Amino acid sequence: MPRRTHEDTEPLLSSTHIDEDDDQASSRKKLSYEEAVEKAGFGLFHWLLLAVCGWANASDAVEILCVSFLLPTARCDLLLTSADMGLLTASIFLGMMVGGYVWGYLADRRGRRSVLVVSLAVNGTFGAVASLAPSFWLFLLLRFFSGVGVGGSIPVIFSYFSEFQPRLRRGTMISALATFWMAGNILAAGVAWLVIPRTYLIAHWGWLDFQSWRLFVVLCSVPSLSSALIFRLFMPESPKFLMEAGRETEALSVFQKMFKLNNRCATKPFPGASLMIRSKDDEVKNRATSGSRCQRLSHQLKQALDPMKQLFVGPLASRSVVLLILFFCISFGYYGLWMWFPELFKRAEDGGSPCANMSRVQSSENESCYPVQTAVYMEGFVTAASNLPGNIFTILLMDRIGGKILLSVSLLVSSLSVFVIYMVKTKTQSLIVSCVFSGVSVVSWNALDVVGTELYPTQLR
């Protein structure tokens, strides 16, 4: 058997040295954000992240849509007119207008995770306390503050989630996250179907009759509060935000945890020892902390308004205007119908016209709300479940044909479906139209979530 000579073994040793040198050079190289995300891999971490962020997204859907399911019975206990019910459904969106900018600004300055914890807690806390409101106006006020919390968690959750995703999987994963809104719809409709018709679930507390719809409101706050707890105990800060904030050690620690969960069988550590980070602007920081209280307040106010100005400067101006128009129009159409579907089903179930005006319900007319007709909530559940085909369609085609094409086609088809309402004569026809509208319009929302998230830099997202 021939012996291996020194010349035979030298290439093998040289090759080993080359591999080691490559590994060392790779670990010494400063990684950009995109490079670090790619090297962290894709796997278990991202699926766990999807489950946690999806539950938070579903909790926002539950909190928004729960009002539409309680209206058919709460209108009697709170003595509501049609105008009052319109104000009640609008109150949470008014709160979202306030909360969206405040929480969004804080998320770009203080971090995504901390803002998610607080906004979800605000959402759940005020949502639960609203169940104890004895009057319409107090209930309206508490729903407004719940909306302030929702306004923070909805936009921030998509920014937070997208900043963990590899570039080639980002569109698909954001679409998957958006499908949890449908899960929230189904959850709210299912809980309403199970709880609200159970009129024996009532407690008399002297100053308040705790009806079954109030228990439903409490249960709807559980997803938000549990999401806040999960983010507080288990979830890391966005690595991209940490890099932008100059917190290299913390960002590197997040990437290492991602790598470890995604590559559980790997023997090597995360292939990177340093990251490319943005240097801090110490001069601006010093100006913010010096001077009189009035000067500091003025500086903070300018800082808070500056991002709004940046949204309408240069190439971002046209994007912002188009997105404002799109969000306004789709919200007007989608929620304008969705929030009223259960009440319209209720009026059709009673044999009246869905468009009939309602005068103020007197306490002696409570019989019109009880016993609760379960068909109303069954139809709401079916309408919520009709979003499933649209969500599957979005996930499969988002990265293939792009968000803009999906958005344009779905907006056109959903708007055409609305005109069919003029021909609706029966309850069955109304249910079919609502299912078609919901199933198609959800594609618009999913596409808008993907497109909107990717159009802005981290500090303005």
PDB file of all heavy atoms in Angstrom, residues 168-189:
ATOM      1  N   LEU A 168     -35.993  38.074   0.533  1.00  0.00           N
ATOM      2  CA  LEU A 168     -36.730  37.276  -0.436  1.00  0.00           C
ATOM      3  C   LEU A 168     -38.008  36.668   0.141  1.00  0.00           C
ATOM      4  O   LEU A 168     -38.884  36.237  -0.600  1.00  0.00           O
ATOM      5  CB  LEU A 168     -35.837  36.153  -0.986  1.00  0.00           C
ATOM      6  CG  LEU A 168     -34.626  36.623  -1.803  1.00  0.00           C
ATOM      7  CD1 LEU A 168     -33.797  35.423  -2.262  1.00  0.00           C
ATOM      8  CD2 LEU A 168     -35.076  37.448  -3.009  1.00  0.00           C
ATOM      9  N   ARG A 169     -38.128  36.616   1.450  1.00  0.00           N
ATOM     10  CA  ARG A 169     -39.321  36.048   2.081  1.00  0.00           C
ATOM     11  C   ARG A 169     -40.219  37.107   2.699  1.00  0.00           C
ATOM     12  O   ARG A 169     -41.262  36.786   3.261  1.00  0.00           O
ATOM     13  CB  ARG A 169     -38.920  35.043   3.170  1.00  0.00           C
ATOM     14  CG  ARG A 169     -38.210  33.814   2.642  1.00  0.00           C
ATOM     15  CD  ARG A 169     -37.853  32.882   3.786  1.00  0.00           C
ATOM     16  NE  ARG A 169     -37.167  31.694   3.335  1.00  0.00           N
ATOM     17  CZ  ARG A 169     -37.743  30.524   3.081  1.00  0.00           C
ATOM     18  NH1 ARG A 169     -39.044  30.402   3.230  1.00  0.00           N
ATOM     19  NH2 ARG A 169     -37.037  29.477   2.685  1.00  0.00           N
ATOM     20  N   ARG A 170     -39.828  38.364   2.590  1.00  0.00           N
ATOM     21  CA  ARG A 170     -40.523  39.419   3.313  1.00  0.00           C
ATOM     22  C   ARG A 170     -41.978  39.573   2.884  1.00  0.00           C
ATOM     23  O   ARG A 170     -42.888  39.654   3.710  1.00  0.00           O
ATOM     24  CB  ARG A 170     -39.759  40.736   3.138  1.00  0.00           C
ATOM     25  CG  ARG A 170     -40.070  41.784   4.182  1.00  0.00           C
ATOM     26  CD  ARG A 170     -39.023  42.879   4.141  1.00  0.00           C
ATOM     27  NE  ARG A 170     -37.723  42.401   4.609  1.00  0.00           N
ATOM     28  CZ  ARG A 170     -36.557  42.940   4.255  1.00  0.00           C
ATOM     29  NH1 ARG A 170     -36.524  43.968   3.418  1.00  0.00           N
ATOM     30  NH2 ARG A 170     -35.433  42.443   4.724  1.00  0.00           N
ATOM     31  N   GLY A 171     -42.224  39.614   1.578  1.00  0.00           N
ATOM     32  CA  GLY A 171     -43.584  39.803   1.095  1.00  0.00           C
ATOM     33  C   GLY A 171     -44.519  38.686   1.520  1.00  0.00           C
ATOM     34  O   GLY A 171     -45.637  38.927   1.986  1.00  0.00           O
ATOM     35  N   THR A 172     -44.052  37.440   1.380  1.00  0.00           N
ATOM     36  CA  THR A 172     -44.877  36.295   1.756  1.00  0.00           C
ATOM     37  C   THR A 172     -45.173  36.280   3.244  1.00  0.00           C
ATOM     38  O   THR A 172     -46.311  36.013   3.681  1.00  0.00           O
ATOM     39  CB  THR A 172     -44.182  34.982   1.351  1.00  0.00           C
ATOM     40  OG1 THR A 172     -43.983  34.968  -0.064  1.00  0.00           O
ATOM     41  CG2 THR A 172     -45.011  33.778   1.761  1.00  0.00           C
ATOM     42  N   MET A 173     -44.166  36.577   4.055  1.00  0.00           N
ATOM     43  CA  MET A 173     -44.355  36.525   5.505  1.00  0.00           C
ATOM     44  C   MET A 173     -45.263  37.649   5.996  1.00  0.00           C
ATOM     45  O   MET A 173     -46.076  37.447   6.913  1.00  0.00           O
ATOM     46  CB  MET A 173     -43.004  36.583   6.213  1.00  0.00           C
ATOM     47  CG  MET A 173     -42.149  35.341   6.026  1.00  0.00           C
ATOM     48  SD  MET A 173     -42.946  33.838   6.638  1.00  0.00           S
ATOM     49  CE  MET A 173     -42.824  34.089   8.416  1.00  0.00           C
ATOM     50  N   ILE A 174     -45.150  38.839   5.417  1.00  0.00           N
ATOM     51  CA  ILE A 174     -46.048  39.927   5.810  1.00  0.00           C
ATOM     52  C   ILE A 174     -47.481  39.588   5.403  1.00  0.00           C
ATOM     53  O   ILE A 174     -48.439  39.882   6.137  1.00  0.00           O
ATOM     54  CB  ILE A 174     -45.601  41.265   5.193  1.00  0.00           C
ATOM     55  CG1 ILE A 174     -44.243  41.684   5.764  1.00  0.00           C
ATOM     56  CG2 ILE A 174     -46.622  42.362   5.472  1.00  0.00           C
ATOM     57  CD1 ILE A 174     -43.676  42.942   5.147  1.00  0.00           C
ATOM     58  N   SER A 175     -47.646  38.949   4.240  1.00  0.00           N
ATOM     59  CA  SER A 175     -48.979  38.498   3.827  1.00  0.00           C
ATOM     60  C   SER A 175     -49.532  37.481   4.814  1.00  0.00           C
ATOM     61  O   SER A 175     -50.721  37.505   5.152  1.00  0.00           O
ATOM     62  CB  SER A 175     -48.915  37.880   2.425  1.00  0.00           C
ATOM     63  OG  SER A 175     -48.482  38.823   1.469  1.00  0.00           O
ATOM     64  N   ALA A 176     -48.650  36.572   5.273  1.00  0.00           N
ATOM     65  CA  ALA A 176     -49.082  35.583   6.264  1.00  0.00           C
ATOM     66  C   ALA A 176     -49.498  36.252   7.562  1.00  0.00           C
ATOM     67  O   ALA A 176     -50.489  35.862   8.196  1.00  0.00           O
ATOM     68  CB  ALA A 176     -47.958  34.582   6.519  1.00  0.00           C
ATOM     69  N   LEU A 177     -48.756  37.285   7.968  1.00  0.00           N
ATOM     70  CA  LEU A 177     -49.122  38.030   9.174  1.00  0.00           C
ATOM     71  C   LEU A 177     -50.483  38.704   9.012  1.00  0.00           C
ATOM     72  O   LEU A 177     -51.307  38.708   9.939  1.00  0.00           O
ATOM     73  CB  LEU A 177     -48.048  39.077   9.490  1.00  0.00           C
ATOM     74  CG  LEU A 177     -48.340  40.035  10.649  1.00  0.00           C
ATOM     75  CD1 LEU A 177     -48.500  39.271  11.959  1.00  0.00           C
ATOM     76  CD2 LEU A 177     -47.235  41.086  10.777  1.00  0.00           C
ATOM     77  N   ALA A 178     -50.731  39.246   7.817  1.00  0.00           N
ATOM     78  CA  ALA A 178     -52.001  39.936   7.573  1.00  0.00           C
ATOM     79  C   ALA A 178     -53.189  38.989   7.654  1.00  0.00           C
ATOM     80  O   ALA A 178     -54.306  39.415   7.977  1.00  0.00           O
ATOM     81  CB  ALA A 178     -51.967  40.625   6.204  1.00  0.00           C
ATOM     82  N   THR A 179     -52.970  37.699   7.384  1.00  0.00           N
ATOM     83  CA  THR A 179     -54.087  36.755   7.444  1.00  0.00           C
ATOM     84  C   THR A 179     -54.630  36.581   8.857  1.00  0.00           C
ATOM     85  O   THR A 179     -55.757  36.127   9.037  1.00  0.00           O
ATOM     86  CB  THR A 179     -53.669  35.372   6.913  1.00  0.00           C
ATOM     87  OG1 THR A 179     -52.648  34.821   7.751  1.00  0.00           O
ATOM     88  CG2 THR A 179     -53.165  35.465   5.482  1.00  0.00           C
ATOM     89  N   PHE A 180     -53.824  36.934   9.859  1.00  0.00           N
ATOM     90  CA  PHE A 180     -54.297  36.799  11.230  1.00  0.00           C
ATOM     91  C   PHE A 180     -55.407  37.802  11.542  1.00  0.00           C
ATOM     92  O   PHE A 180     -56.101  37.655  12.546  1.00  0.00           O
ATOM     93  CB  PHE A 180     -53.138  36.962  12.215  1.00  0.00           C
ATOM     94  CG  PHE A 180     -52.310  35.713  12.369  1.00  0.00           C
ATOM     95  CD1 PHE A 180     -51.296  35.419  11.486  1.00  0.00           C
ATOM     96  CD2 PHE A 180     -52.562  34.820  13.400  1.00  0.00           C
ATOM     97  CE1 PHE A 180     -50.530  34.270  11.616  1.00  0.00           C
ATOM     98  CE2 PHE A 180     -51.815  33.670  13.539  1.00  0.00           C
ATOM     99  CZ  PHE A 180     -50.793  33.395  12.645  1.00  0.00           C
ATOM    100  N   TRP A 181     -55.543  38.837  10.712  1.00  0.00           N
ATOM    101  CA  TRP A 181     -56.683  39.742  10.870  1.00  0.00           C
ATOM    102  C   TRP A 181     -57.977  38.969  10.654  1.00  0.00           C
ATOM    103  O   TRP A 181     -58.960  39.154  11.378  1.00  0.00           O
ATOM    104  CB  TRP A 181     -56.575  40.898   9.881  1.00  0.00           C
ATOM    105  CG  TRP A 181     -57.561  41.981  10.126  1.00  0.00           C
ATOM    106  CD1 TRP A 181     -58.800  42.116   9.583  1.00  0.00           C
ATOM    107  CD2 TRP A 181     -57.402  43.100  11.011  1.00  0.00           C
ATOM    108  NE1 TRP A 181     -59.417  43.251  10.055  1.00  0.00           N
ATOM    109  CE2 TRP A 181     -58.580  43.874  10.926  1.00  0.00           C
ATOM    110  CE3 TRP A 181     -56.366  43.533  11.836  1.00  0.00           C
ATOM    111  CZ2 TRP A 181     -58.751  45.038  11.659  1.00  0.00           C
ATOM    112  CZ3 TRP A 181     -56.546  44.693  12.559  1.00  0.00           C
ATOM    113  CH2 TRP A 181     -57.722  45.438  12.474  1.00  0.00           C
ATOM    114  N   MET A 182     -57.950  38.071   9.646  1.00  0.00           N
ATOM    115  CA  MET A 182     -59.106  37.207   9.421  1.00  0.00           C
ATOM    116  C   MET A 182     -59.356  36.323  10.638  1.00  0.00           C
ATOM    117  O   MET A 182     -60.510  36.095  11.031  1.00  0.00           O
ATOM    118  CB  MET A 182     -58.869  36.340   8.187  1.00  0.00           C
ATOM    119  CG  MET A 182     -59.944  35.290   7.952  1.00  0.00           C
ATOM    120  SD  MET A 182     -59.374  33.896   6.950  1.00  0.00           S
ATOM    121  CE  MET A 182     -58.173  33.162   8.081  1.00  0.00           C
ATOM    122  N   ALA A 183     -58.273  35.803  11.234  1.00  0.00           N
ATOM    123  CA  ALA A 183     -58.424  34.970  12.430  1.00  0.00           C
ATOM    124  C   ALA A 183     -59.087  35.757  13.551  1.00  0.00           C
ATOM    125  O   ALA A 183     -59.931  35.228  14.290  1.00  0.00           O
ATOM    126  CB  ALA A 183     -57.061  34.448  12.884  1.00  0.00           C
ATOM    127  N   GLY A 184     -58.725  37.051  13.679  1.00  0.00           N
ATOM    128  CA  GLY A 184     -59.377  37.900  14.674  1.00  0.00           C
ATOM    129  C   GLY A 184     -60.852  38.110  14.368  1.00  0.00           C
ATOM    130  O   GLY A 184     -61.696  38.110  15.281  1.00  0.00           O
ATOM    131  N   ASN A 185     -61.179  38.284  13.065  1.00  0.00           N
ATOM    132  CA  ASN A 185     -62.583  38.401  12.663  1.00  0.00           C
ATOM    133  C   ASN A 185     -63.375  37.171  13.080  1.00  0.00           C
ATOM    134  O   ASN A 185     -64.475  37.262  13.655  1.00  0.00           O
ATOM    135  CB  ASN A 185     -62.684  38.561  11.138  1.00  0.00           C
ATOM    136  CG  ASN A 185     -62.220  39.923  10.667  1.00  0.00           C
ATOM    137  OD1 ASN A 185     -61.872  40.777  11.460  1.00  0.00           O
ATOM    138  ND2 ASN A 185     -62.213  40.106   9.369  1.00  0.00           N
ATOM    139  N   ILE A 186     -62.817  36.002  12.764  1.00  0.00           N
ATOM    140  CA  ILE A 186     -63.507  34.748  13.076  1.00  0.00           C
ATOM    141  C   ILE A 186     -63.632  34.557  14.581  1.00  0.00           C
ATOM    142  O   ILE A 186     -64.670  34.105  15.085  1.00  0.00           O
ATOM    143  CB  ILE A 186     -62.753  33.567  12.427  1.00  0.00           C
ATOM    144  CG1 ILE A 186     -62.821  33.687  10.894  1.00  0.00           C
ATOM    145  CG2 ILE A 186     -63.327  32.237  12.889  1.00  0.00           C
ATOM    146  CD1 ILE A 186     -62.018  32.635  10.166  1.00  0.00           C
ATOM    147  N   LEU A 187     -62.554  34.903  15.309  1.00  0.00           N
ATOM    148  CA  LEU A 187     -62.588  34.773  16.765  1.00  0.00           C
ATOM    149  C   LEU A 187     -63.664  35.660  17.375  1.00  0.00           C
ATOM    150  O   LEU A 187     -64.450  35.211  18.235  1.00  0.00           O
ATOM    151  CB  LEU A 187     -61.222  35.114  17.355  1.00  0.00           C
ATOM    152  CG  LEU A 187     -61.099  35.038  18.881  1.00  0.00           C
ATOM    153  CD1 LEU A 187     -61.377  33.613  19.358  1.00  0.00           C
ATOM    154  CD2 LEU A 187     -59.709  35.494  19.327  1.00  0.00           C
ATOM    155  N   ALA A 188     -63.729  36.922  16.939  1.00  0.00           N
ATOM    156  CA  ALA A 188     -64.743  37.842  17.469  1.00  0.00           C
ATOM    157  C   ALA A 188     -66.152  37.349  17.144  1.00  0.00           C
ATOM    158  O   ALA A 188     -67.041  37.359  18.009  1.00  0.00           O
ATOM    159  CB  ALA A 188     -64.527  39.249  16.900  1.00  0.00           C
ATOM    160  N   ALA A 189     -66.344  36.909  15.897  1.00  0.00           N
ATOM    161  CA  ALA A 189     -67.673  36.422  15.504  1.00  0.00           C
ATOM    162  C   ALA A 189     -68.037  35.150  16.261  1.00  0.00           C
ATOM    163  O   ALA A 189     -69.184  34.968  16.690  1.00  0.00           O
ATOM    164  CB  ALA A 189     -67.702  36.163  13.997  1.00  0.00           C
TER     165      ALA A 189
END
